Each structure stands twice: as structure tokens, then as C-alpha cells.
Amino acid sequence: EDGRNSLIAVVVAFIPAGIIGKLFGDSVKEHLLSPTPVAITWIVGGLIILLFVAQQSRLTTRIESVSEIGVRNAAIIGVAQTLALIPGTSRSFVTILAAMLLGVNMATAVEFSFLLGFVTLSAATALELVQNGDTLVDTFGVVSPLVGIAVAAVTAFLSVKFMIDWLNKRGLAVFGWYRLAVGAAAVVLIATDRT
């Protein structure tokens, strides 16, 4: 029962990004994939993370496992994930913050974000194989991509525990400051034409 509920939640959360990405992904990249919008996105993302951290103590945690997230919350997290189509936006942090705002505890939010990321990236890879499979096979063969997918899956699942432990000890603020620093550095480079 828990496994089925978890699977349903992940699939529901994937659907909005899958649809929006297919419809508008190329257009977003065409208009926003340049240094200035990406730098601005880094800075805005950093400010949002720091604002979230400042208000985090007010959140009420009521969801302790992926199986408890439910269809409604999964759909909201999925809609939030569509923001990651904007270059410079962290898919992981958008989904983690959205989940925590909905009352999901940090460990479960991280776990769900990784599961959702695995499904999203797997679907993107499958689409790429369907569209350009012949070219990929000609370039890399069959074994290399399969090994890459397997290694990515194992690494993702192993990193969940590390990420949960790390965030529980240090919190999210460091990522906000990091994004602000990188965004500010990018703005300076853009302003001085050193990009």
C-alpha cells in the first residue's frame, strides 16, 4: 500500500513538468538561456532560500513519509517543479522547498525530490533516445549509455542519505548564500564583459 501510494505521488508530480517541458521547454531555453537571465535567477533563488530559512521555524510538519504525500500535494510539487525549466533554477530545491511548505519534513522532502528527479531525468533520457537514438548509439554505442544510467541511479539513491544528514546538520542557508555569491560574480563578469 505504501509503495503504491509513493509511486502514484511520484507519477502525479512528474506529469506537470512532463507536459510543460514538452510544450514550452525549447521556447524557454531559447529566450532565457543566456548569462544575464541565469545570473538573475541565481540571485532570486538565493534570496528565496534565505527567506524560506528565516521563516522555516513557523512551518508545521505533518507528513513523515513519501507514501503520505498524497495526490494533491504531489500535484502542487509537480507544478512547482515546472519552475526548474527556467535556466538557473535548481529543480531539487524548488521541489524540496515546495514539499516543506506543504508540511513535509526535510528528510521526506529530499527523498521525494530525488525520486521525482530520477523519474524526470529518466523520462527526458527516454525521449532523447526516441528522438535521437540512432545518433546516440552511433556515437556512444549501446553499453556506455546503459552503464551511465545504472551508475546515475545508484549514485542518486546513495546520495539521498548523505544529503539528508548534511541538510539536517547544516541547513539550507549555505545554498542561498552560495547562489547569491555565484549570481553576484556572474553579474560583475557580465557588466565588465568578461563572460
Side-chain angles (χ1 to χ4, degrees), residues 67-89:
S67 63
E68 296 174 16
I69 288 176
V71 172
R72 177 182 168 275
N73 289 334
I76 293 169
I77 295 167
V79 170
Q81 184 181 217
T82 63
L83 294 173
L85 292 169
I86 301 170
T89 303

Side-chain angles (χ1 to χ4, degrees), residues 118 121-122 125-126 129 143-155:
F118 181 73
L121 295 175
S122 296
T125 301
L129 286 173
V143 176
S144 293
L146 292 177
V147 169
I149 291 170
V151 170
V154 171
T155 303

Side-chain angles (χ1 to χ4, degrees), residues 3-18:
R4 185 173 67 87
N5 290 342
S6 298
L7 178 62
I8 290 170
V10 171
V11 170
V12 167
F14 163 74
I15 291 171

Side-chain angles (χ1 to χ4, degrees), residues 9-22 25 28 73-99 102 109-124:
V10 171
V11 170
V12 167
F14 163 74
I15 291 171
I19 293 171
I20 300 297
K22 180 65 177 166
V28 169
N73 289 334
I76 293 169
I77 295 167
V79 170
Q81 184 181 217
T82 63
L83 294 173
L85 292 169
I86 301 170
T89 303
S90 168
R91 189 208 61 78
S92 296
F93 276 108
V94 165
T95 53
I96 290 170
L97 295 184
L102 292 168
V110 172
E111 182 183 350
F112 187 74
S113 177
F114 272 87
L115 289 171
L116 180 56
F118 181 73
V119 169
T120 302
L121 295 175
S122 296

Side-chain angles (χ1 to χ4, degrees), residues 20-122:
I20 300 297
K22 180 65 177 166
L23 293 175
F24 302 109
D26 291 340
S27 177
V28 169
K29 287 178 183 174
E30 181 182 335
H31 292 95
L32 296 178
L33 189 55
S34 61
T36 301
V38 170
I40 292 170
T41 303
W42 282 338
I43 292 169
V44 170
L47 292 172
I48 289 172
I49 290 172
L50 293 175
L51 178 62
F52 174 84
V53 169
Q55 301 298 316
Q56 191 173 348
S57 61
R58 298 184 180 186
L59 296 178
T60 302
T61 301
R62 52 189 175 73
I63 298 171
E64 305 286 340
S65 71
V66 171
S67 63
E68 296 174 16
I69 288 176
V71 172
R72 177 182 168 275
N73 289 334
I76 293 169
I77 295 167
V79 170
Q81 184 181 217
T82 63
L83 294 173
L85 292 169
I86 301 170
T89 303
S90 168
R91 189 208 61 78
S92 296
F93 276 108
V94 165
T95 53
I96 290 170
L97 295 184
M100 290 179 71
L101 285 170
L102 292 168
V104 180
N105 70 11
M106 183 180 290
T108 302
V110 172
E111 182 183 350
F112 187 74
S113 177
F114 272 87
L115 289 171
L116 180 56
F118 181 73
V119 169
T120 302
L121 295 175
S122 296

